[in-house]
Amino acid sequence: MSTTLALPSRAVPSRADALLFRTKTTVLRGLRGLRETLDGTRAAHHGAGGVLAEAPVVATVRSPLWTGLAGEKDRALTAGKVQNLRVALRGIDGVEVPAGAVFSFWRQVGRATRRRGFVAGRELREGCLVSSVGGGLCQLSNALYEAALQAGFEIVERHAHSRVVPGSRAQAGRDATVFWNYVDLRFRSPRPFRIEARMTADALELVLRSGVPGVLDRLGEPAAPDGRGDAHDCTSCGQTSCRLNNPDTALTRHLPTAWLLDAATPEFAALFAERATRRDALVLPTRLFGGPRYGWARGRCGAEASADLAALRRSLALRRAPQGAALQARILEADDRLAASHARRLSHLHTHLVVSQNLLPHLWRLGALQGRSFEVLMERLPLDVLQAQLDEALARHPESLTLGDFRAPDAVVAAERAALDAAARLITAHRGIAALFPGRTQLLDWAAAAPLASRRGGRAILLPASALGRKGVHALRAAITGLDIEVLVQGGAVEHAGFWGNRPVRRLMPGEAPAELAAVVLPAIVEHQPRALLRALAAGIPVIATAACGLGERDGLTVVPADDPAALRAAIAAVL
């Protein structure tokens, strides 16, 4: 964001200059508002839509976010710019403008204030690059101007910067400065158009969609370079007599990381304890209740915040929820609220994040991940993969009451996939999840588990889960038919009454521990936390499981295909 009011190239701004500048801007803002009211030229605010989501692309622009950082203050101001773009994109991304209507930068973005989430970034003012709330928005106006030129749109209003920032579009005369509210960027097209704008970890990307590109109007031609002088940067210009002089300090090697976390599994808790530093920030649900569930190590990060109210609300909502689809829907809603609470506690200086997977799609939809690099702690299959596997299982067992009882909303599924594709790294102990992302996964070891109290022996096998379709109970029911064994079921839920028929199956009472077990069997279609299997292996009890359990190759483990009663029966017979 900048103005066109400039001092001579080597002048040092004084307090009087600053007062004069504020006076001029106040007058010019008032005159702009008055003029638009009197002549009816106030532009409309355009909302987001989906009508043109598949329209042809008529322009694409990509510009880097982080370029040649000189020091810590430079990095902080650049992080501020990225935050300002993050906020501004809420009024730009997905906007659809009718044919002939004027697009106005400021009508879409609104005034840049701290109250709305804008922070200090670098702004070109009076020939100098200074720190200012909302600074850096010109990267977005430049990109919009460039895209409008590519698409052949009519440029209704455009202003050049007062100075040239080396390496910027101003050197080619393709820049467009903006300053609330009297220096605006406006354009229109005879055809309706759509703007798509987002940030990756290192670039601003902008796309225009419309019909066939028009012919460049003469007003749409870019201005030629005009010999404007270079801008002076207050962190590096060397004008020590200037009151705005703010020399930079050297860059540090470690970038601060924000850990946006939920439940602490043993593997992820160990990773956090190893990697977190005093420059990092931890945002977790709560320290007030939940015990080991939220047992992230204390004192590792220099800053810590919790979302106690959101965590309490989730706890109460899930405690009252029935099982099945209703429970899963409430979990999703609670994760959405928790993610929003975590996002509000983020600093714009946290340019790298480590995120719990259940928060990921909601943070993506909020735009909190834009312009940041991030890693994901993967506890489960991606939603699209998980639901596809359940759909395939339901096609094989259409009588199941549980395989199709819940599917996440399409928008949440799509958001998680987009976020996973953008993630710098995925971290998991689950071998099945890691296999989905070759070359992008940090594979952790499963944490050591306390052995089961049972010993090996007898002819009883344990199903360490509820008797639900996703745990492979259809295959297990077929596999045990006619075998001289007893099946012990640990969980209370079941596919439906009478599911096991007259087979020798018994549900364990709470706290009951069988003295002997021939094997622990989990022929799961979906299993994300195979803790019981790890405990059985630690006790020397054979385990029969599918690759979906994510253990990999281990002594004492027999891996069978999912939904294959014959292979499962053979494996059970072998351990007996």
Side-chain angles (χ1 to χ4, degrees), residues 246-271:
N246 188 19
D248 212 337
T249 56
L251 280 169
T252 57
R253 295 183 61 185
H254 177 76
L255 292 175
T257 295
W259 299 74
L260 306 187
L261 304 178
D262 194 2
T265 66
E267 296 79 19
F268 295 151
L271 176 78

Side-chain angles (χ1 to χ4, degrees), residues 184-464:
D184 200 2
L185 170 67
R186 297 188 176 194
F187 52 82
R188 62 187 166 203
S189 168
R191 298 178 180 85
F193 63 91
R194 171 185 175 87
I195 303 174
E196 296 174 353
R198 62 182 296 269
M199 287 186 290
T200 65
D202 55 11
L204 170 66
E205 297 178 344
L206 192 139
V207 170
L208 293 184
R209 294 181 181 272
S210 185
V212 179
V215 178
L216 275 174
D217 186 274
R218 64 181 182 85
L219 295 176
E221 293 288 356
D226 56 8
R228 288 169 283 171
D230 289 348
H232 304 147
D233 191 332
C234 290
T235 63
S236 60
C237 72
Q239 291 278 11
T240 56
S241 61
C242 178
R243 64 186 179 82
L244 299 177
N245 182 246
N246 188 19
D248 212 337
T249 56
L251 280 169
T252 57
R253 295 183 61 185
H254 177 76
L255 292 175
T257 295
W259 299 74
L260 306 187
L261 304 178
D262 194 2
T265 66
E267 296 79 19
F268 295 151
L271 176 78
F272 171 75
E274 176 186 342
R275 279 186 49 185
T277 75
R278 296 294 297 172
R279 292 200 71 196
D280 294 351
L282 168 63
V283 186
L284 76 167
T286 186
R287 293 282 194 194
L288 302 179
F289 56 88
R293 174 175 171 79
Y294 304 127
W296 302 100
R298 295 176 181 268
R300 302 289 180 180
C301 296
E304 180 177 308
S306 59
D308 300 294
L309 186 60
L312 178 61
R313 185 177 177 184
R314 177 172 68 174
S315 179
L316 295 175
L318 301 187
R319 190 174 301 171
R320 297 192 300 265
Q323 295 296 311
L327 174 61
Q328 297 304 316
R330 289 197 184 184
I331 290 173
L332 204 62
E333 293 170 0
D335 288 346
D336 191 3
R337 290 192 294 269
L338 186 63
S341 180
H342 278 29
R344 287 193 295 271
R345 289 161 173 79
L346 267 179
S347 165
H348 68 279
L349 298 176
H350 291 122
T351 57
H352 183 73
L353 310 179
V354 180
V355 180
S356 289
Q357 184 184 4
N358 60 306
L359 307 178
L360 184 69
H362 312 294
L363 291 169
W364 182 265
R365 296 177 72 192
L366 288 169
L369 303 179
Q370 292 205 57
R372 291 181 165 109
S373 60
F374 58 94
E375 302 167 80
V376 184
L377 303 182
M378 299 285 290
E379 284 193 275
R380 57 161 172 76
L381 293 169
L383 287 169
D384 55 347
V385 176
L386 172 61
Q387 296 184 171
Q389 292 187 3
L390 292 174
D391 288 344
E392 292 173 4
L394 182 60
R396 296 191 296 270
H397 305 285
E399 74 282 5
S400 173
L401 300 178
T402 64
L403 286 171
D405 65 352
F406 178 77
R407 297 292 183 270
D410 291 344
V412 175
V413 176
E416 185 188 61
R417 172 49 59 183
L420 290 173
D421 290 343
R425 181 163 54 178
L426 310 171
I427 305 172
T428 187
H430 194 290
R431 272 55 184 167
I433 296 173
L436 298 173
F437 304 96
R440 297 182 57 211
T441 307
Q442 178 183 350
L443 188 60
L444 306 177
D445 291 329
W446 288 107
L452 288 179
S454 307
R455 64 179 180 272
R456 181 177 183 179
R459 300 187 68 81
I461 64 173
L462 172 66
L463 174 67

Side-chain angles (χ1 to χ4, degrees), residues 466-557:
S466 292
L468 300 176
R470 62 181 177 273
K471 302 305 177 184
V473 294
H474 293 93
L476 182 58
R477 181 177 62 177
I480 64 173
T481 302
L483 290 179
D484 180 22
I485 60 171
E486 181 183 26
V487 177
L488 306 175
V489 180
Q490 197 162 45
V494 66
E495 276 286 281
H496 57 77
F499 175 79
W500 295 107
N502 59 359
R503 296 168 183 81
V505 177
R506 177 173 69 87
R507 180 191 168 192
L508 291 177
M509 299 301 293
E512 180 181 356
E516 292 184 326
L517 288 172
V520 172
V521 180
L522 188 56
I525 296 167
V526 173
E527 176 57 55
H528 297 133
Q529 293 293 324
R531 305 291 171 190
L533 304 186
L534 293 167
R535 295 186 65 200
L537 291 170
I541 298 172
V543 168
I544 302 169
T546 58
C549 294
L551 290 177
E553 295 184 3
R554 288 173 176 262
D555 291 340
L557 171 65

